[in-house]
Amino acid sequence: MLERMMAKWNTPIYAFWTPIPTIGYDDGHRYHEFKCFKKSCSKSVRRFLDKSDATSTGNLHRHTKACWGADIVHLAMNAGNVENARNVLSKSKDGSIAEAFRKAGKEQVTYSHRQHMKMETRAEIVRWVTENARPYSIVKDRGFKNLMKTGRPEYYLPSPHTVSRDV
Ligand SMILES: [Zn+2]
């Protein structure tokens, strides 16, 4: 049960709380008690498993913002997952946390759900071949074409000539 719940605790907000909550009972109702990760803070938040707030992060968010500051929380949420955020928190001294989160957020690459338009594909390929010193002919590479076109055989790829002209 705890393992299954923990798999859901993937949002970065949990990084501000002890990784494994205490399990307790109050009047027969089971709860998870999360303790604030900040050493100087003694706040803990209980979530009852049989109530609608069992997986709600509202109370965790509220205290984290009050305790660490809204900026830090915002940056942490951009850092991707709880693993990244926990790394940042455990390695950084107080003053450098915001900076470390900013860096973690930048390192995270996100991909659009929408396919590239022809011109966007051409621009991305120009960027790729110039930044990584690839030959123009790489757009004809069998493996590359296979990766790009599998599942979407109509996907547009420019010819090596077009790439060289675009560069
Ligand atoms: Zn706190």
Side-chain angles (χ1 to χ4, degrees):
M1 172 73 173
L2 189 59
E3 279 74 22
R4 213 170 64 226
M5 302 279 299
M6 283 181 74
K8 284 191 208 151
W9 300 337
N10 193 33
T11 140
I13 201 69
Y14 289 106
F16 294 94
W17 299 83
T18 44
I20 297 171
T22 311
I23 297 170
Y25 289 89
D26 182 7
D27 201 15
H29 299 284
R30 193 144 83 126
Y31 62 78
H32 286 154
E33 188 168 84
F34 294 86
K35 203 189 157 310
C36 182
F37 188 70
K38 195 177 246 183
K39 284 194 185 74
S40 56
C41 181
S42 56
K43 172 79 178 177
S44 59
V45 166
R46 281 183 187 181
R47 282 195 319 208
F48 286 90
L49 302 193
D50 55 359
K51 295 205 178 134
S52 59
D53 71 347
T55 58
S56 151
T57 56
N59 288 340
L60 299 181
H61 269 278
R62 212 163 300 129
H63 173 75
T64 309
K65 275 184 191 155
C67 192
W68 296 79
D71 276 1
I72 298 265
V73 175
H74 178 75
L75 289 165
M77 295 311 282
N78 285 340
N81 58 41
V82 65
E83 230 57 72
N84 291 349
R86 198 162 271 146
N87 267 337
V88 170
L89 273 184
S90 56
K91 282 186 198 145
S92 315
K93 303 257 181 299
D94 275 7
S96 62
I97 289 176
E99 195 44 51
F101 273 131
R102 234 170 250 133
K103 211 167 139 246
K106 270 197 205 106
E107 278 162 8
Q108 218 217 347
V109 182
T110 55
Y111 301 101
S112 171
H113 288 281
R114 181 183 62 77
Q115 280 189 24
H116 282 133
M117 311 286 283
K118 264 189 185 187
M119 287 310 290
E120 291 170 324
T121 302
R122 278 167 63 177
E124 279 297 329
I125 287 177
V126 165
R127 209 174 112 188
W128 176 49
V129 298
T130 52
E131 280 181 2
N132 299 294
R134 308 282 177 205
Y136 306 144
S137 60
I138 199 161
V139 291
K140 282 265 172 253
D141 181 82
R142 192 203 60 83
F144 174 68
K145 278 165 69 178
N146 183 272
L147 287 169
M148 297 302 288
K149 287 175 174 283
T150 298
R152 44 176 189 185
E154 77 295 349
Y155 191 81
Y156 164 78
L157 283 176
S159 69
H161 179 70
T162 305
V163 178
S164 86
R165 223 181 39 216
D166 287 346
V167 170

